[in-house]
Amino acid sequence: MTPKLEVKDVKVKSIGAGLKEVTATVENKQMMPTHSGTNLKYKIDPPDYIFLDGGQVIAGMIVLDRDRNLAQEQKKDPQKLEVQNIDGYSHVDLKWIVKGGSKFTSGLKVSREEGFAQSE
């Protein structure tokens, strides 16, 4: 059994000054996490990468609490967010601030699989 990941709910919202907020959710629909406990402890495989194409990415964040608008910004390479693990039957919410672009594609690269979702 392997994780079954799906990129979904890619949404675009204009926030003024030519900037857009792009949000996406990566959901694991299986019980198996993307990395086992041993894998995480010894860093056997690289983390999960979720990326955004379609504009100049100014900032990239992993959303910690959507209701309170709390997010952890990734300063290095914000276009390609690093997620250490996606647990079974769970999801990760992501947010990017983008300049320009009108058609966005969010994708993921995991040690076991790849997937893509698009928003226009």
Side-chain angles (χ1 to χ4, degrees), residues 92-111:
V92 175
D93 294 317
L94 309 155
K95 182 185 338 185
W96 293 271
I97 305 300
V98 181
K99 185 175 186 177
S102 59
K103 186 174 181 180
F104 300 98
T105 303
S106 179
L108 60 98
K109 190 167 264 198
V110 184
S111 56

Side-chain angles (χ1 to χ4, degrees), residues 6-12 21-27 48-52 59-66 69-74 78-86 91-97 106-109:
E6 182 179 313
V7 180
K8 60 183 214 171
D9 297 332
V10 179
K11 296 177 184 163
V12 180
E21 177 184 274
V22 180
T23 58
T25 299
V26 177
E27 183 176 9
D48 306 325
Y49 293 107
I50 297 107
F51 60 89
L52 182 75
M61 296 159 253
I62 297 171
V63 177
L64 304 174
D65 187 338
R66 193 182 326 175
N69 200 23
L70 295 176
Q72 179 181 1
E73 183 179 2
Q74 179 179 298
Q79 187 167 354
K80 184 170 85 174
L81 296 175
E82 289 185 20
V83 177
Q84 294 306 311
N85 187 38
I86 303 172
H91 68 277
V92 175
D93 294 317
L94 309 155
K95 182 185 338 185
W96 293 271
I97 305 300
S106 179
L108 60 98
K109 190 167 264 198

